Amino acid sequence: MKLYRDEAVVLRTQKIGEADRVITLLTRTSGRVRAVAKGVRRTTSRFGARLEPCMLADVQLHRGRSLDVVTQVLTLAPYARAVADDYPRYTAAAAMLETAERLTPEEREPATQQFLLLVGGLRALVGPPHAPVRRPPGLVLDAFIVRSMAVAGWGASFDACARCGEPGPHRGFAVAAGGAVCRSCRPPGAAAPAPESLQLLGALLAGDWDGAVASTERDRREASGLAAAYPQWHLERGIRSLPLVDRTPEAPPAPDGRQPDGGPPDGAPHHGAPDATEPEELAAVAPLLDRLPPQPPPARAAEVVRS
C-alpha cells in the first residue's frame, strides 16, 4: 500500500523549494523516515506547526520513490512548545533528537524500542504539567543516552569489569572497552572517574531517580562527560548538539515555594502550558525512562552484539 499511517516523533526539518520542507521522522513501526511536507512554510498551512522538532504526531504518508509525502497530521503530544519555552530543555531535547537519528542509520528499519525510549525521554524532559519537582534536563539527557546505547546493542558496564566481568566497583573507565575496567584489564589512557560518577550513571541506567537527583554537581559533570564520549566513540561520528547542552545548575526554589523565574509555587496550577494529551498505548509506555530496557546491558564488551 502506498498510503500508510504511523505514530512519529519529528527529529529534524530542512527547507526545500519555496514553501516545502523535508521532515525526518522516527516512527513506531517503520523506523526513520524522510518525507516531504508541501506548503508547510506558508502561513495558511494546515499542519505546519504540527511538524516541528519534538512534536509527537499521528502522520499519514504517501510512499514515494525516494521521499514520502505527508498528507495528514494529527497532534498527539505538543512537546515542542514546552521544550521551546525553556533553554536547558531545548538544548537537551536537541541532543536527544540527534542521538536518536544517529542510532537509526538505516531508513525504514523498524526501531520500536528507540521510538518508545525517545517518547519517554521527551515526556520525562517536559514533565507533567502539575509536577511538584521536575527532573534536571541534563540528567534526563544522560539517562536517554546510556539507555539508547543499550537498546542499540552498545550497553556500557558501570560496575563489573567490561572485559573480564570481575565484580566492581572499579576506578577505571575505558570507552573503547565498553565501560568500567578492573586494574588488570585497564588499558593505557583509561579515565579514572570518581566512584560516585559511575554510580550515578548506573542509577540513570537502572532508573533510580532518587539516587540520581541526590547526586552532586561535580559527579553530574563527570558523568555527563563519560555519557557524551561513549556514543561518539562507538558511532565513530560526533553529536554536534552535545557541546551546546546547557548544564547550568538550577537555582533552588524561593522560601515561599516560587520558582526562580518568578513562576507559581511548586504544585500550583500552571495555566500557560497546555496538557500534553497522549493515546492510551503511549501513556502506558511513557514512563519508559523509569526502568531498564527489556534486555540488560552485557557484562563484557565482547558480548555486545548490535541488535
Side-chain angles (χ1 to χ4, degrees):
M1 294 180 59
K2 288 193 174 182
L3 199 65
Y4 67 98
R5 298 179 69 96
D6 209 341
E7 297 166 4
V9 175
V10 180
L11 300 180
R12 183 161 54 93
T13 64
Q14 181 181 358
K15 294 180 181 180
I16 183 175
E18 295 183 355
D20 305 338
R21 278 181 179 156
V22 175
I23 312 296
T24 303
L25 305 166
L26 181 60
T27 65
R28 174 189 282 267
T29 59
S30 302
R32 184 169 60 87
V33 174
R34 297 173 70 240
V36 175
K38 297 184 178 180
V40 294
R41 291 161 55 195
R42 297 193 181 100
T43 56
T44 57
S45 174
R46 295 176 300 169
F47 47 77
R50 303 176 186 176
L51 291 175
E52 293 295 329
C54 296
M55 292 293 286
L56 174 64
D58 185 337
V59 185
Q60 179 174 283
L61 303 133
H62 185 275
R63 197 180 302 276
R65 293 183 178 179
S66 57
L67 297 174
D68 295 349
V69 179
V70 178
T71 59
Q72 187 176 358
V73 184
L74 176 64
T75 301
L76 298 180
Y79 294 133
R81 177 176 178 179
V83 166
D85 287 343
D86 186 88
Y87 185 69
R89 286 180 184 173
Y90 176 80
T91 56
M96 291 168 61
L97 297 181
E98 186 178 356
T99 301
E101 184 176 2
R102 293 285 184 264
L103 291 174
T104 53
E106 298 294 332
E107 291 189 17
R108 303 188 186 280
E109 182 177 344
T112 303
Q113 288 184 321
Q114 288 289 356
F115 168 79
L116 296 177
L117 189 61
L118 181 58
V119 172
L122 292 174
R123 187 176 188 272
L125 189 66
V126 173
H130 310 300
V133 179
R134 72 173 188 177
R135 294 167 181 170
L139 287 183
V140 175
L141 171 61
D142 295 338
F144 174 79
I145 289 176
V146 296
R147 296 180 187 200
S148 294
M149 293 297 292
V151 167
W154 285 298
S157 174
F158 302 114
D159 183 53
C161 178
R163 285 187 170 179
C164 66
E166 179 182 348
H170 302 293
R171 289 301 306 271
F173 188 90
V175 173
V181 287
C182 64
R183 183 174 301 178
S184 302
C185 300
R186 181 176 177 176
E196 293 79 9
S197 300
L198 294 182
Q199 292 174 6
L200 172 58
L201 288 172
L204 294 176
L205 182 63
D208 180 12
W209 282 102
D210 292 336
V213 173
S215 60
T216 64
E217 285 300 325
R218 176 187 178 281
D219 297 334
R220 293 183 187 183
R221 287 195 301 269
E222 194 169 40
S224 66
L226 298 176
Y230 195 78
Q232 297 183 93
W233 170 273
H234 290 282
L235 294 175
E236 299 181 354
R237 187 174 182 180
I239 298 177
R240 294 177 296 177
S241 302
L242 283 177
L244 305 177
V245 175
D246 185 357
R247 297 183 181 271
T248 304
E250 296 183 357
D256 60 355
R258 288 189 170 273
Q259 298 297 325
D261 58 359
D266 288 336
H270 294 258
H271 302 290
D275 293 355
T277 57
E278 298 178 347
E280 294 182 0
E281 60 271 18
L282 282 179
V285 301
L288 193 63
L289 278 176
D290 289 332
R291 60 179 183 271
L292 277 168
Q295 67 277 14
R300 304 185 183 185
E303 299 174 1
V304 177
V305 180
R306 182 175 178 85
S307 57

